[in-house]
């Protein structure tokens, strides 16, 4: 059986996923709201708690790996730290820098998608992406993410790294689970559902004004 790949993302209402954990986590690009998740965290985080304490290996970009490896091995008294220490960590990187965190493995290939596709075909636990914003566009476009879990926090951040950068291939998603925490965090799970469906709310009986508008669209003057 191929490994399943889940992406679990802390995201703002406007799609930013940068530095949710703390002010020093990732200030690149002048990002100044690091730690925006903490004020909205609650004991009732629904399916995310089951997901994060489940059975999986991690798939990470190099910067998220650097953040995690500088923190979690020093917090083994935390159940998540103990879990992360034990499981395999697959890191997509072109760097020759050694991966010092135990059970870490460099993942390389012609493209990120080809490397992950090969990993999914191998024997082992299912895979979970944490952080790693650069992985989502190519993996979504290649149809390699089997489930997308979005934890949407009630905050607007403006600029910052985003899960969707406009380069991913279009596609429909099917909602498979949802939960709202006591602090207003919406946790929604989605699975790919084929091509984007389109439709119309009524018969196409355009007015003269609408016909003129469409002519302007075709002429590039609208």
């Amino acid at each position: 059986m191929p490994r399943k790949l889940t992406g679990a993302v802390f995201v703002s209402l406007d799609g930013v996923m940068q530095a949710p954990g703390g002010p020093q986590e990732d200030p690149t690009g002048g990002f100044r709201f690091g730690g925006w998740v903490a004020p909205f965290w609650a004991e009732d985080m629904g399916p995310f708690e089951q997901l994060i304490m489940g059975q999986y290996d991690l798939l990470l970009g190099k910067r998220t790996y650097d953040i995690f490896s500088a923190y979690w091995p020093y917090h083994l008294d935390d159940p998540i730290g103990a879990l992360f220490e034990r499981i395999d960590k697959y890191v997509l990187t072109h760097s020759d820098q050694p991966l010092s965190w135990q059970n870490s493995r460099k993942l390389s290939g012609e493209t990120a998608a080809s490397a992950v596709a090969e990993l999914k075909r191998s024997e082992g636990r299912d895979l979970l992406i944490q952080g790693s914003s650069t992985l989502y566009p190519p993996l979504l476009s290649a149809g390699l993410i089997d489930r997308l879990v979005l934890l949407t926090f009630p905050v607007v951040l403006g600029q910052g790294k985003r899960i969707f950068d406009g380069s991913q291939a279009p596609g429909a998603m099917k909602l498979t689970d949802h939960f709202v925490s006591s602090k207003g965090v919406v946790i929604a799970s989605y699975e790919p559902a084929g091509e984007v469906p389109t439709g119309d709310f009524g018969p196409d009986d355009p007015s003269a004004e609408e016909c003129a508008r469409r002519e302007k669209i075709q002429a590039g003057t609208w």
Side-chain angles (χ1 to χ4, degrees):
M1 290 275 304
R3 302 194 198 202
K4 297 292 186 180
L5 175 57
T6 294
V9 191
F10 299 158
V11 65
S12 67
L13 287 172
D14 55 338
V16 175
M17 60 179 293
Q18 185 171 349
Q24 302 302 318
E25 184 177 342
D26 182 6
T28 55
F31 188 73
R32 57 192 180 91
F33 297 114
W36 49 272
V37 157
F40 299 101
W41 202 261
E43 293 183 1
D44 59 333
M45 296 303 284
F48 178 73
E49 296 294 341
Q50 298 175 353
L51 175 64
I52 199 65
M53 294 309 300
Q55 296 294 318
Y56 56 84
D57 289 330
L58 282 172
L59 176 62
L60 305 170
K62 182 58 164 60
R63 286 192 172 181
T64 296
Y65 175 83
D66 289 344
I67 294 167
F68 280 18
S69 63
Y71 180 84
W72 287 115
Y74 307 97
H75 294 82
L76 299 181
D77 55 334
D78 187 306
I80 297 177
L83 174 63
F84 282 3
E85 186 76 5
R86 173 177 56 82
I87 63 178
D88 292 328
K89 280 77 67 175
Y90 295 95
V91 186
L92 276 161
T93 177
H94 296 294
S95 172
D96 293 328
Q97 182 179 347
L99 304 175
S100 58
W101 193 7
Q102 75 169 15
N103 300 321
S104 297
R105 293 165 170 77
K106 180 179 177 180
L107 196 63
S108 58
E110 186 175 344
T111 64
S114 63
V116 172
E118 183 176 353
L119 175 62
K120 289 186 67 178
R121 289 191 293 266
S122 67
E123 294 292 329
R125 290 181 286 263
D126 287 343
L127 301 161
L128 177 67
I129 305 174
Q130 287 282 272
S132 310
S133 61
T134 58
L135 300 189
Y136 283 97
L139 298 187
L140 284 169
S141 293
L144 292 170
I145 296 181
D146 301 287
R147 179 173 54 159
L148 191 60
V149 181
L150 298 182
L151 289 84
T152 304
F153 289 75
V155 60
V156 175
L157 298 174
Q159 298 298 314
K161 297 177 181 178
R162 285 172 157 76
I163 178 173
F164 303 117
D165 66 0
S167 69
Q168 56 278 346
M173 303 293 284
K174 176 178 68 175
L175 180 69
T176 60
D177 191 17
H178 61 90
F179 177 86
V180 182
S181 78
S182 61
K183 293 192 175 182
V185 180
V186 178
I187 303 170
S189 297
Y190 300 92
E191 294 179 357
E195 297 182 357
V196 176
T198 61
D200 200 325
F201 282 110
D204 191 14
D205 185 19
S207 64
E209 288 80 3
E210 173 62 10
C211 290
R213 187 186 72 88
R214 296 181 186 183
E215 290 175 0
K216 288 180 180 179
I217 292 174
Q218 291 186 346
T221 58
W222 184 55

